[in-house]
Amino acid sequence: MTALSSRTHYFLGAASLALALAGCAAAPAGPATPRRAATAEESARYAALARVAQSDPKAYAMLEGLLRAAPRRLAGTPGAAAAEAWGFATLQSLGFEAVRSEPVRVPVWIRGDVEEVMVLGADGAMEPLRACALGLSPGTPVEGVLGEVIEVRSLEEAASLGERGRGKVIFYNRPMNPALEDTFAAYGGAVDQRSRGGYVAKQIGAVGALVRSMTTRVDDHPHTGAMRATMDDGSPVAPSAAISTRAAERLHGLLQQGPVRVRMRLSCRAEGEGMGANIVGELRGSERPQEVVVVGGHLDAWDTGDGAHDDGAGIVHSIEALRLLKAAGLRPKRTVRAVLFANEESGLRGGQAYAEAHRTEPHFFGVESDRGGFAPRRFQANWAEPQFSELADALAPLAAIGCAQLARGGGGADLTSLERLGVSCGELIPDCAHYFDYHHAETDVLAAVDRDDLERGALALAYFLDVVANW
Ligand SMILES: [Zn+2]
């Protein structure tokens, strides 16, 4: 399980990097923009949605409700069950059809209350570094692990240490590239240290791994995230923690002055498997109800912050988009189905279970929102021509909110399994400049989300769904 999930996470990072590089290579083209003005019918449908969105918006209040009901909702925990209950009740109260809970078996990982990284001075002085366990990491013995720190910039550099790594703590300190405008590409270019740092550390006999947090900001907040938890023989990798970017700078500075020893104590642990659920609700299609367009985000979140952007925003985008269609009296030809996926962060089991359970059902398209609640900028879709350019044309009314662009690309992590079955997918792409300031950190709370940006994301998604489900 964990090997698979971490491979998938790594693959996603590599994929977004490859995508970004491909985007750079084709830079003159960039995302497609509409080649024509909106038709009267497109304008009228957008206006109907915008009227509801502007007079009676509900996404932000919904996000507040989710974060109040389930601020901590990592898969397999009581918080995840509370989030599922909130999702079910919300879909039902909005009057959607076929509201249900589809069970998903999920891995259970508990952070515990000890996560301590301490620099040990020669004189017995101790200096703590702001740290948190990486998701799925094995814990340390109660007394911790102790070792001299070796700083590296890559997995390859760590591997090349060979025997010199034995008994040490490997410190991965290659920052996300701040020059890249696409912060997802910068993330993709650095996240292998988080995904596989503990694995490579264990290969060379190191006792622990420290990873510079995945953000371009320099601050005191450590960012967690999934990592590969087991070696090829099933034994645990080296215990691994993220340290804040400021702590990483501090540790780097200390290492310039001479050898540094640290003690890591982590009480996190895996606790087998538990049950979770994908929560589903629909707006049945008016002409082809058997054909489904899925819209979704993930209901689980890392346990460091409240998961307001990641992915509370995507959850309420999806629900609010359905509500806007219904309230505006637009019932598309195909069924539009909101899926609140379980367990994206620590295993991707929700997306896998959904694809497995629905593999014989005709799916026309899947669209995800899992890039935060910032101002919507564009969509992406993996349709071929001429449909791709026609879809870009049909987005013309979204120019009103700065979101009339279509890039080439598929769905988010929850849709990978559906995409593998051959279903066309896409994603809502908001402004990403500050996404990684909050991603998987204690700062990902309601106050980090702008009300108008969030509501506009839901409006853009509702219009996109109307176009695709009527295609
Ligand atoms: Zn996410």
Side-chain angles (χ1 to χ4, degrees):
M1 172 289 304
T2 46
L4 177 66
S5 70
S6 54
R7 255 203 309 276
T8 312
H9 276 270
Y10 177 63
F11 166 74
L12 288 171
S16 54
L17 178 64
L19 196 67
L21 294 174
C24 289
T33 48
R35 297 165 297 185
R36 57 165 175 78
T39 65
E41 198 200 336
E42 286 165 357
S43 298
R45 297 184 80 92
Y46 173 75
L49 292 166
R51 253 194 311 277
V52 184
Q54 282 148 17
S55 64
D56 182 28
K58 294 201 191 299
Y60 190 82
M62 247 188 265
L63 183 58
E64 244 179 320
L66 168 60
L67 302 193
R68 202 181 310 118
R72 294 291 184 277
R73 50 188 189 279
L74 189 61
T77 65
E84 286 155 12
W86 172 88
F88 191 92
T90 302
L91 294 180
Q92 219 165 33
S93 72
L94 293 172
F96 300 138
E97 291 130 45
V99 174
R100 60 198 186 268
S101 165
E102 302 185 347
V104 180
R105 191 168 282 281
V106 299
V108 181
W109 179 82
I110 307 293
R111 178 172 298 279
D113 46 16
V114 181
E115 36 190 10
E116 180 188 282
V117 176
M118 201 67 87
V119 173
L120 306 176
D123 53 358
M126 295 199 284
E127 176 185 336
L129 298 177
R130 288 300 310 277
C132 68
L134 286 181
L136 308 175
S137 174
T140 64
V142 183
E143 68 278 14
V145 294
L146 198 105
E148 189 185 326
V149 177
I150 301 185
E151 179 177 339
V152 296
R153 306 286 276 191
S154 67
L155 296 174
E156 295 70 29
E157 191 184 344
S160 73
L161 291 170
E163 270 304 307
R164 279 175 295 151
R166 188 158 300 280
K168 305 294 199 304
V169 171
I170 307 302
F171 168 37
Y172 296 91
N173 192 28
R174 182 174 84 258
M176 276 172 54
N177 182 352
L180 291 176
E181 202 181 331
D182 180 354
T183 56
F184 281 86
Y187 177 68
V191 75
D192 63 327
Q193 300 170 99
R194 187 193 78 202
S195 318
R196 291 169 55 83
Y199 176 84
V200 174
K202 181 67 176 289
Q203 278 181 326
I204 58 173
V207 295
L210 296 176
V211 181
R212 180 191 181 94
S213 283
M214 294 294 134
T215 177
T216 49
R217 246 183 113 100
V218 177
D219 63 20
D220 293 319
H221 307 291
H223 296 235
T224 191
M227 57 171 269
R228 176 171 179 161
T230 50
M231 304 302 290
D232 299 330
D233 63 4
S235 65
V237 303
S240 304
I243 57 175
S244 73
T245 43
R246 207 191 303 280
E249 304 280 292
R250 169 73 179 148
L251 186 53
H252 175 79
L254 288 171
L255 285 162
Q256 303 310 299
Q257 298 162 24
V260 177
R261 293 198 330 141
V262 296
R263 190 184 71 204
M264 292 173 65
R265 290 176 67 219
L266 303 175
S267 63
C268 48
R269 60 202 179 271
E271 287 195 346
E273 293 196 331
M275 289 311 293
N278 292 328
I279 307 298
V280 181
E282 301 178 353
L283 200 58
R284 292 285 285 170
S286 58
E287 289 176 28
R288 301 167 146 194
Q290 74 286 356
E291 291 183 24
V292 178
V293 172
V294 164
V295 58
H298 61 86
L299 195 49
D300 64 312
W302 280 114
D303 52 352
T304 38
D306 292 355
H309 278 294
D310 187 13
D311 186 23
I315 289 295
V316 303
H317 274 156
S318 303
I319 301 173
E320 176 71 346
L322 230 68
R323 188 194 71 88
L324 291 175
L325 286 167
K326 188 175 153 77
L330 303 178
R331 185 178 282 270
K333 281 189 230 171
R334 296 184 180 83
T335 292
V336 182
R337 177 181 292 163
V339 183
L340 319 182
F341 290 99
N343 183 223
E344 189 268 350
E345 299 290 10
S346 56
L348 285 175
R349 299 283 190 88
Q352 290 162 4
Y354 178 85
E356 187 53 41
H358 297 270
R359 63 186 309 142
T360 60
E361 196 181 11
H363 279 70
F364 184 72
F365 198 83
V367 59
E368 181 151 1
S369 169
D370 186 16
R371 292 183 180 225
F374 297 95
R377 290 287 183 242
R378 62 181 65 97
F379 283 89
Q380 64 181 31
N382 55 13
W383 274 358
E385 293 293 1
Q387 288 83 1
F388 179 85
S389 292
E390 289 165 8
L391 178 56
D393 292 344
L395 299 185
L398 291 181
I401 51 170
C403 190
Q405 285 195 339
L406 186 65
R408 288 169 204 284
D414 293 299
L415 297 179
T416 8
S417 295
L418 206 58
E419 233 170 315
R420 271 190 210 119
L421 297 177
V423 178
S424 298
C425 288
E427 194 167 11
L428 168 66
I429 313 287
D431 191 307
C432 66
H434 292 290
Y435 182 67
F436 291 95
D437 295 359
Y438 307 104
H439 184 247
H440 301 177
E442 61 198 342
T443 48
D444 189 6
V445 295
L446 189 67
V449 178
D450 180 85
R451 181 187 298 259
D452 291 342
D453 285 349
L454 184 75
E455 301 288 355
R456 274 194 281 268
L459 170 59
L461 190 56
Y463 179 77
F464 183 86
L465 285 168
D466 186 56
V467 169
V468 172
N470 282 308
W471 200 264

PDB file of all heavy atoms in Angstrom, residues 298 310-311 344-345 370 435, ligand 1:
ATOM      1  N   HIS A 298     -10.881  16.183  -2.458  1.00  0.00           N
ATOM      2  CA  HIS A 298     -10.736  15.166  -1.405  1.00  0.00           C
ATOM      3  C   HIS A 298     -11.119  15.707  -0.033  1.00  0.00           C
ATOM      4  O   HIS A 298     -10.775  16.824   0.339  1.00  0.00           O
ATOM      5  CB  HIS A 298      -9.356  14.520  -1.402  1.00  0.00           C
ATOM      6  CG  HIS A 298      -8.201  15.437  -1.162  1.00  0.00           C
ATOM      7  ND1 HIS A 298      -7.765  15.765   0.097  1.00  0.00           N
ATOM      8  CD2 HIS A 298      -7.377  16.093  -2.018  1.00  0.00           C
ATOM      9  CE1 HIS A 298      -6.712  16.567   0.005  1.00  0.00           C
ATOM     10  NE2 HIS A 298      -6.466  16.792  -1.268  1.00  0.00           N
ATOM     11  N   ASP A 310      -6.386  22.909   1.099  1.00  0.00           N
ATOM     12  CA  ASP A 310      -6.117  21.528   0.652  1.00  0.00           C
ATOM     13  C   ASP A 310      -6.850  20.525   1.528  1.00  0.00           C
ATOM     14  O   ASP A 310      -6.315  20.115   2.551  1.00  0.00           O
ATOM     15  CB  ASP A 310      -4.616  21.271   0.664  1.00  0.00           C
ATOM     16  CG  ASP A 310      -4.250  19.925   0.049  1.00  0.00           C
ATOM     17  OD1 ASP A 310      -5.115  19.312  -0.599  1.00  0.00           O
ATOM     18  OD2 ASP A 310      -3.110  19.490   0.226  1.00  0.00           O
ATOM     19  N   ASP A 311      -8.010  20.080   1.177  1.00  0.00           N
ATOM     20  CA  ASP A 311      -8.706  20.438  -0.039  1.00  0.00           C
ATOM     21  C   ASP A 311     -10.142  20.814   0.314  1.00  0.00           C
ATOM     22  O   ASP A 311     -11.065  20.520  -0.430  1.00  0.00           O
ATOM     23  CB  ASP A 311      -8.647  19.266  -1.020  1.00  0.00           C
ATOM     24  CG  ASP A 311      -9.234  19.609  -2.382  1.00  0.00           C
ATOM     25  OD1 ASP A 311      -9.286  20.790  -2.714  1.00  0.00           O
ATOM     26  OD2 ASP A 311      -9.680  18.688  -3.092  1.00  0.00           O
ATOM     27  N   GLU A 344      -7.080  10.858  -0.031  1.00  0.00           N
ATOM     28  CA  GLU A 344      -6.132  11.223  -1.093  1.00  0.00           C
ATOM     29  C   GLU A 344      -4.720  11.325  -0.522  1.00  0.00           C
ATOM     30  O   GLU A 344      -3.769  10.788  -1.074  1.00  0.00           O
ATOM     31  CB  GLU A 344      -6.537  12.558  -1.730  1.00  0.00           C
ATOM     32  CG  GLU A 344      -5.732  12.899  -2.989  1.00  0.00           C
ATOM     33  CD  GLU A 344      -4.488  13.730  -2.718  1.00  0.00           C
ATOM     34  OE1 GLU A 344      -4.298  14.217  -1.593  1.00  0.00           O
ATOM     35  OE2 GLU A 344      -3.675  13.887  -3.637  1.00  0.00           O
ATOM     36  N   GLU A 345      -4.604  12.020   0.609  1.00  0.00           N
ATOM     37  CA  GLU A 345      -3.275  12.373   1.111  1.00  0.00           C
ATOM     38  C   GLU A 345      -2.424  11.164   1.511  1.00  0.00           C
ATOM     39  O   GLU A 345      -1.245  11.115   1.222  1.00  0.00           O
ATOM     40  CB  GLU A 345      -3.402  13.321   2.310  1.00  0.00           C
ATOM     41  CG  GLU A 345      -4.088  14.650   2.004  1.00  0.00           C
ATOM     42  CD  GLU A 345      -3.250  15.577   1.130  1.00  0.00           C
ATOM     43  OE1 GLU A 345      -2.225  15.150   0.587  1.00  0.00           O
ATOM     44  OE2 GLU A 345      -3.657  16.747   1.002  1.00  0.00           O
ATOM     45  N   ASP A 370      -8.323  20.568  -6.708  1.00  0.00           N
ATOM     46  CA  ASP A 370      -7.401  20.215  -5.622  1.00  0.00           C
ATOM     47  C   ASP A 370      -6.146  21.081  -5.697  1.00  0.00           C
ATOM     48  O   ASP A 370      -5.032  20.615  -5.510  1.00  0.00           O
ATOM     49  CB  ASP A 370      -7.050  18.722  -5.684  1.00  0.00           C
ATOM     50  CG  ASP A 370      -6.212  18.278  -4.482  1.00  0.00           C
ATOM     51  OD1 ASP A 370      -6.155  19.016  -3.483  1.00  0.00           O
ATOM     52  OD2 ASP A 370      -5.587  17.202  -4.566  1.00  0.00           O
ATOM     53  N   TYR A 435      -0.024  29.067  -3.035  1.00  0.00           N
ATOM     54  CA  TYR A 435      -0.576  27.782  -2.584  1.00  0.00           C
ATOM     55  C   TYR A 435       0.365  27.054  -1.632  1.00  0.00           C
ATOM     56  O   TYR A 435      -0.034  26.543  -0.590  1.00  0.00           O
ATOM     57  CB  TYR A 435      -0.892  26.910  -3.806  1.00  0.00           C
ATOM     58  CG  TYR A 435      -1.520  25.585  -3.468  1.00  0.00           C
ATOM     59  CD1 TYR A 435      -2.797  25.517  -2.914  1.00  0.00           C
ATOM     60  CD2 TYR A 435      -0.839  24.388  -3.697  1.00  0.00           C
ATOM     61  CE1 TYR A 435      -3.380  24.300  -2.600  1.00  0.00           C
ATOM     62  CE2 TYR A 435      -1.417  23.164  -3.389  1.00  0.00           C
ATOM     63  CZ  TYR A 435      -2.686  23.135  -2.850  1.00  0.00           C
ATOM     64  OH  TYR A 435      -3.264  21.928  -2.534  1.00  0.00           O
TER      65      TYR A 435
HETATM   66 ZN    ZN B   1      -4.891  17.991  -1.985  1.00  0.00          ZN
END
